[in-house]
Amino acid sequence: MDRTRKIEGIIFDFDGLIIDSETPAFHAWQRLYEEYELTLMKEDWVDVIGWSSKDRDPMHDLARLAGDGFEEAEARKKLSKWEKEFLAKEEVLPGVRELITAAENAQLKLGIASSSSRQWVKGHLERLGLYEHFEVIISSDDVDHAKPDPEIFHLAVDALGVNPDQVIVLEDSPAGVLAAKRANLFCIAVPNQMTKHLSFQLDGHQPDMKIDSLRGLRLENFLP
């Protein structure tokens, strides 16, 4: 990224970056596995983080392990209930609101590129009072190929109407980072509690920067 030119926009991931929805999701899945006298280990769960359920749906694994008598509709109903209960306690992750304020003060365009559904992202942004801050939301509903395919980022850049060379992508998962780098975008990895032990070097790509929290991101470092 040419730092002599003003950046034009920031593209955020959602789950695990703006809100910690990944830990509550893991706990809900653990509880569902226990319903079938099975155990879900964290090291197995992290493989699906950042991927769309269209590509990696853990329900298929549970159905295979549970065997005869497994009713997917009932399992999904229980999972949804528990996810909502766990997630209702979660607030915006540290540094998110401050970064949004700083970006708006710098007149940057803000977008979201998420592997989750539009309904999921929009609902939580509205609950958190953040929806109005984002000009563009590109979700799994909008793409044929989810992360780590770069399609979602190409769409987000086009929708924002910004120069790809002047965009910062913020991602918490290796799959998201790989998608951003395949789109030739400047990407900052912000691992969370679920992803901090994962390798962010995949398929010959790695993030341009890696920080512990969005509180550590100084936007002025990217402004002329």
Side-chain angles (χ1 to χ4, degrees):
M1 175 176 291
D2 181 359
R3 297 189 185 183
T4 65
R5 294 173 57 195
K6 180 179 179 180
I7 62 172
E8 300 173 346
I10 302 176
I11 299 175
F12 293 70
D13 180 38
F14 180 71
D15 294 290
L17 183 85
I18 290 179
I19 183 174
D20 182 10
S21 54
E22 291 168 354
T23 300
F26 173 59
H27 290 159
W29 275 99
Q30 277 189 315
R31 186 167 177 178
L32 185 60
Y33 265 61
E34 290 168 1
E35 287 281 298
Y36 299 92
E37 299 182 352
L38 297 167
T39 300
L40 177 62
M41 304 300 293
K42 183 177 178 180
E43 52 266 32
D44 296 323
W45 175 254
V46 294
D47 286 339
V48 308
I49 293 177
W51 292 73
S52 168
S53 61
K54 292 188 294 186
D55 295 312
R56 292 189 180 181
D57 188 349
M59 193 65 75
H60 297 161
D61 293 330
L62 177 57
R64 175 177 52 81
L65 294 169
D68 294 340
F70 178 79
E71 295 184 3
E72 182 174 331
E74 181 64 23
R76 289 193 183 278
K77 183 178 179 180
K78 291 179 179 179
L79 179 67
S80 177
K81 176 178 179 293
W82 293 329
E83 277 187 323
K84 289 177 181 178
E85 290 176 357
F86 292 136
L87 190 54
K89 304 173 184 178
E90 296 295 328
E91 293 296 329
V92 180
L93 285 169
V96 172
R97 293 189 189 276
E98 292 83 356
L99 178 58
I100 289 173
T101 297
E104 290 181 333
N105 289 339
Q107 299 183 336
L108 303 184
K109 295 182 177 182
L110 302 182
I112 288 178
S114 172
S115 294
S116 294
S117 70
R118 177 177 297 276
Q119 181 182 7
W120 171 269
V121 175
K122 183 175 183 289
H124 286 297
L125 287 176
E126 289 176 335
R127 177 178 71 85
L128 299 166
L130 295 176
Y131 179 69
E132 64 183 16
H133 296 285
F134 293 94
E135 297 184 33
V136 168
I137 297 176
I138 306 296
S139 71
S140 61
D141 302 334
D142 303 307
V143 297
D144 293 321
H145 306 287
K147 302 172 187 176
D149 189 276
E151 179 184 6
I152 197 167
F153 286 115
H154 291 314
L155 289 176
V157 169
D158 289 344
L160 279 177
V162 294
N163 185 332
D165 292 335
Q166 301 303 316
V167 170
I168 294 175
V169 173
L170 304 173
E171 273 285 353
D172 69 289
S173 73
V177 169
L178 180 55
K181 295 312 299 176
R182 283 175 170 172
N184 296 315
L185 301 176
F186 187 92
C187 184
I188 300 176
V190 193
N192 54 48
Q193 291 300 310
M194 295 295 292
T195 62
K196 64 181 182 180
H197 299 299
L198 300 179
S199 172
F200 280 76
Q201 298 185 20
L202 293 175
D203 194 29
H205 294 287
Q206 63 183 14
D208 297 280
M209 289 178 58
K210 189 176 180 181
I211 58 179
D212 294 332
S213 164
L214 285 180
R215 286 183 298 189
L217 180 59
R218 297 292 178 262
L219 196 55
E220 58 268 23
N221 292 338
F222 298 91
L223 300 174

